[in-house]
Amino acid sequence: MTKDKITCEIIKKIKKDEIKPVPKWQGRFFGILIWTGVFITVILSSVFLSLVMINLFEIPIHFFSMNYFILLVHFMPFVWLGLIGIFLFLGFLIFNRTKRAYRHRILTIVMILFLATFIFSLVFNRLNIDRQIRNFTENRIPRSLSNRPSHMVFCKRNMAEEGLLGGELMQKKKDSILIKNDLNESWDVILTPETKIKRKTNLLVGDKVLILGNKIGKLSFQARVIKKIEENKASFK
Amino acid sequence: MIKNLNKASDESLVKEILKDPENLNFLINRYWQQLFFFVRRISYFSSEDTEDILQEVFIKVYKNINSFDSSYKFSTWIFQITRNTTIDAIRKKTSRPQEFSLDQNDLRQILVESGIDIEEKIINKEKVKIIEEIIRSLPFKYQEVMILKFLEEKTYEEMVDIIKKPKGTVASLLNRGKALFKKQAIIKGLAIEN
């Protein structure tokens, strides 16, 4: 077939099938949709990263004396880590559909997405959005998970040996407090000038508290950090 | 009165095509030969199959003409569409006849660019067969970058936009393609190892 004949065929087909150019707005709309998808996945992964961060850093950990596995099991909700991975992966897939994604290497795209996630997670942390989400989710933990706060869901019942004690404040003395844990043990918790009370709350008898420190005797504990467990958090039973 | 748009720029031609699809005729005249050779070089399709592919290409160009981004060169955009349509056709092919369509000048160009010195002015039939075998044996990703660079004389930036890969990847594919080609040429006695 000659070129002229083919040209006629093409124009004939366009007229016969009433082929029309795709409207500009459709292309732009699809582009906006893709970028919105990238943005949403970054925001969602940022939310979960900030949740992981508050769990990891809110309670100070004595790294040299704790087993790292126990550390991970106690303070890192695996489901949030998994969700960060899923949303970042989704964000990467959606980003690859943008017009000029091919100009960038995979590593560059992944690093940019992770950096954006990290920055947004710091913003959410500052605005306390992560705490609000955690409070919201922790109120809905099933009883079958022993009513522990989600970041404590894998806790063993007695962790005084590992430097963690939780219970109800039974008595306040000048340099110590008496704590009753869920095993009905009464612990004498020594307070020193270095002991920090999180958020400087005034501890009252009846408050549920979580204490980090060291076991110094059979039922004696020296406190480094004390944190009051807020209402609506389940009991330690 | 039909306007003569043979000397109009690509961007002006796009505007005229949007007003009247008959003006597509000027675009086809402008790009037909270049795209025809490009499709044949990367696909080994017969002339008839190549014409079918190009018909599809120009219809796609017309359909998507509103999404042409003027930050690209128009030729890059049309090459992009052509390449994608050709690859789809290659994937669909079952027993389409394949014709090797690189002529002597093309072969010589590839040899020279791959660093293989060939003194004979005419590459004889036997050598043509060997070179053909070597090129066919290369994975498609190396073939297409070598054809785009050495035969279509595209810049790296244009190649990035046509095959939609980052610049580093394109450069890497080209170097590896040349190295593979040279290695095979040495093995088959076309060149001496230096």
Side-chain angles (χ1 to χ4, degrees):
Chain A
M1 243 201 299
T2 63
K3 186 182 72 179
D4 290 335
K5 216 174 172 188
I6 294 169
T7 306
C8 284
E9 289 286 328
I10 293 171
I11 294 172
K12 216 164 128 185
K13 186 175 167 66
I14 287 172
K15 287 183 174 169
K16 184 182 161 222
D17 295 350
E18 291 177 2
I19 296 171
K20 295 246 178 319
V22 171
K24 229 177 193 169
W25 66 264
Q26 217 168 297
R28 280 201 187 132
F29 176 71
F30 188 65
I32 291 169
L33 210 64
I34 289 174
W35 278 107
T36 306
V38 173
F39 184 71
I40 289 171
T41 52
V42 166
I43 293 294
L44 287 172
S45 47
S46 310
V47 164
F48 294 114
L49 183 61
S50 69
L51 281 166
V52 167
M53 276 158 56
I54 52 163
N55 279 281
L56 194 57
F57 297 115
E58 196 169 54
I59 301 168
I61 305 300
H62 185 51
F63 285 108
F64 297 109
S65 68
M66 280 190 89
N67 180 295
Y68 280 106
F69 176 72
I70 292 167
L71 175 75
L72 197 67
V73 163
H74 290 170
F75 299 108
M76 195 79 77
F78 294 116
V79 65
W80 292 340
L81 276 179
L83 285 168
I84 293 167
I86 288 168
F87 283 116
L88 277 178
F89 179 66
L90 268 174
F92 171 77
L93 288 180
I94 298 171
F95 183 84
N96 269 340
R97 300 297 303 268
T98 55
K99 254 188 174 168
R100 288 176 176 72
Y102 61 84
R103 288 182 179 178
H104 310 288
R105 287 181 176 268
I106 294 173
L107 190 62
T108 311
I109 299 170
V110 168
M111 279 171 57
I112 289 172
L113 283 175
F114 190 76
L115 191 66
T117 301
F118 184 72
I119 291 168
F120 275 113
S121 69
L122 292 176
V123 169
F124 291 140
N125 190 258
R126 237 19 228 141
L127 297 173
N128 278 331
I129 291 171
D130 45 8
R131 282 174 187 78
Q132 287 173 34
I133 293 172
R134 189 176 70 178
N135 293 346
F136 177 81
T137 53
E138 282 174 358
N139 287 343
R140 282 152 183 79
I141 290 173
R143 286 189 174 274
S144 57
L145 290 177
S146 8
N147 287 330
R148 292 178 193 275
S150 64
H151 61 282
M152 299 281 286
V153 79
F154 297 112
C155 272
K156 291 183 192 169
R157 292 177 70 84
N158 187 346
M159 295 172 54
E161 296 291 338
E162 283 122 20
L164 188 66
L165 180 68
E168 190 179 333
L169 180 61
M170 303 303 286
Q171 194 182 4
K172 270 177 89 168
K173 297 174 196 169
K174 192 182 169 199
D175 294 321
S176 66
I177 53 176
L178 194 70
I179 297 292
K180 195 175 190 180
N181 68 2
D182 53 356
L183 297 173
N184 270 328
E185 291 166 344
S186 292
W187 283 77
D188 189 28
V189 178
I190 310 295
L191 307 175
T192 66
E194 284 77 38
T195 303
K196 282 182 197 160
I197 298 176
K198 288 289 278 183
R199 297 194 185 114
K200 295 183 170 55
T201 39
N202 197 17
L203 296 172
L204 303 168
V205 170
D207 283 344
K208 303 280 189 299
V209 293
L210 190 65
I211 306 167
L212 279 183
N214 306 101
K215 186 182 170 187
I216 52 173
K218 194 179 171 222
L219 288 170
S220 285
F221 201 84
Q222 185 175 332
R224 278 199 332 278
V225 178
I226 301 176
K227 182 187 170 189
K228 181 180 163 180
I229 305 294
E230 286 150 35
E231 285 302 323
N232 297 329
K233 298 281 182 290
S235 69
F236 282 91
K237 287 183 189 167
Chain B
M1 194 175 98
I2 299 166
K3 252 173 153 177
N4 187 340
L5 296 168
N6 284 321
K7 291 193 177 152
S9 67
D10 287 333
E11 288 72 24
S12 310
L13 195 48
V14 164
K15 287 182 186 148
E16 293 301 325
I17 290 170
L18 283 167
K19 289 178 193 164
D20 183 1
E22 292 271 358
N23 292 324
L24 192 62
N25 162 47
F26 294 101
L27 190 75
I28 296 171
N29 280 337
R30 190 173 290 187
Y31 283 102
W32 180 267
Q33 194 178 35
Q34 208 180 352
L35 296 179
F36 186 89
F37 285 134
F38 175 60
V39 172
R40 288 211 69 195
R41 280 166 177 162
I42 64 170
S43 67
Y44 312 133
F45 286 149
S46 63
S47 297
E48 292 74 29
D49 287 337
T50 305
E51 282 166 7
D52 290 342
I53 288 169
L54 285 181
Q55 276 201 45
E56 212 182 310
V57 164
F58 283 107
I59 290 172
K60 278 187 185 173
V61 164
Y62 180 70
K63 261 192 188 165
N64 294 295
I65 206 151
N66 272 323
S67 68
F68 165 61
D69 184 348
S70 52
S71 64
Y72 289 122
K73 270 171 76 171
F74 186 83
S75 61
T76 305
W77 185 66
I78 207 170
F79 259 83
Q80 215 182 64
I81 295 174
T82 309
R83 179 203 174 248
N84 294 340
T85 310
T86 309
I87 289 175
D88 288 342
I90 291 171
R91 284 188 187 137
K92 282 180 198 161
K93 78 174 173 129
T94 47
S95 56
R96 285 187 188 218
Q98 288 198 308
E99 293 171 10
F100 193 73
S101 53
L102 298 180
D103 62 23
Q104 286 229 353
N105 288 330
D106 292 344
L107 296 177
R108 182 176 294 283
Q109 186 72 10
I110 288 176
L111 286 170
V112 163
E113 295 285 357
S114 301
I116 296 167
D117 191 15
I118 184 146
E119 285 184 9
E120 296 109 271
K121 287 199 190 302
I122 298 167
I123 302 170
N124 64 29
K125 271 190 182 166
E126 202 192 308
K127 283 208 161 69
V128 163
K129 217 172 160 356
I130 296 171
I131 300 168
E132 183 188 317
E133 268 172 32
I134 297 172
I135 291 172
R136 276 176 183 266
S137 70
L138 293 178
F140 179 77
K141 58 185 177 181
Y142 299 129
Q143 281 186 49
E144 72 167 337
V145 293
M146 287 171 77
I147 286 166
L148 280 169
K149 184 79 181 122
F150 304 147
L151 303 181
E152 303 295 337
E153 295 177 342
K154 296 293 177 192
T155 62
Y156 275 102
E157 287 70 28
E158 286 171 321
M159 284 163 67
V160 160
D161 289 331
I162 291 170
I163 69 171
K164 295 199 170 186
K165 287 193 161 73
K167 198 173 181 177
T169 307
V170 170
S172 178
L173 284 172
L174 195 57
N175 288 335
R176 267 188 258 147
K178 277 161 59 174
L180 261 173
F181 182 83
K182 193 170 180 179
K183 188 179 168 188
Q184 288 299 314
I186 291 167
I187 290 170
K188 292 193 193 286
L190 265 183
I192 305 161
E193 197 167 357
N194 49 2

